[in-house]
């Protein structure tokens, strides 16, 4: 068995009224209005070799197989205010 480590870093420009809060479940989330937002791994797949192929997470058995292999997942959230 091998281990695959996937590191994803995303930068979002968000409205000033969105904030980081702790959800009652204990996880840190983004609060956007009355919605709590968490980030998760969303694998996409295609069977096409076309450079313009469409990638999707819909109706693909491999997506479920990939998700079943996850043994740990962590999302770090930080808001940086630029003046």
């Amino acid at each position: 068995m091998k281990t695959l480590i996937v590191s994803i870093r995303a930068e979002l420009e968000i409205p000033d009224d969105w904030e980081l809060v702790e959800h009652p479940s204990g996880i840190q989330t983004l609060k956007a209005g009355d919605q709590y937002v968490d980030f998760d791994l969303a694998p996409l797949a295609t069977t096409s070799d076309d450079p313009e192929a469409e990638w999707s997470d819909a109706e693909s058995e491999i997506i479920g197989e990939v998700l079943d292999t996850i043994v740990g997942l962590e999302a770090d959230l930080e808001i940086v205010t630029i003046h």
Side-chain angles (χ1 to χ4, degrees):
M1 186 65 66
K2 300 183 276 189
T3 298
L4 170 65
I5 298 173
V6 177
S7 299
I8 300 173
R9 178 173 168 83
E11 187 171 313
L12 293 75
E13 291 184 354
I14 62 172
D16 290 335
D17 62 332
W18 291 11
E19 60 184 336
L20 291 180
V21 300
E22 185 172 317
H23 184 268
S25 67
I27 63 170
Q28 184 183 34
T29 64
L30 178 64
K31 183 82 186 276
D34 63 350
Q35 297 285 317
Y36 294 96
V37 180
D38 190 20
F39 294 84
D40 201 352
L41 179 66
L44 304 174
T46 187
T47 56
S48 174
D49 291 330
D50 186 331
E52 300 297 320
E54 288 191 36
W55 293 80
S56 174
D57 64 352
E59 299 183 40
S60 179
E61 186 177 314
I62 191 64
I63 298 301
E65 289 180 42
V66 170
L67 291 173
D68 287 345
T69 68
I70 296 173
V71 294
L73 182 64
E74 182 178 318
D76 293 316
L77 305 177
E78 173 186 7
I79 290 181
V80 177
T81 304
I82 301 172
H83 296 245

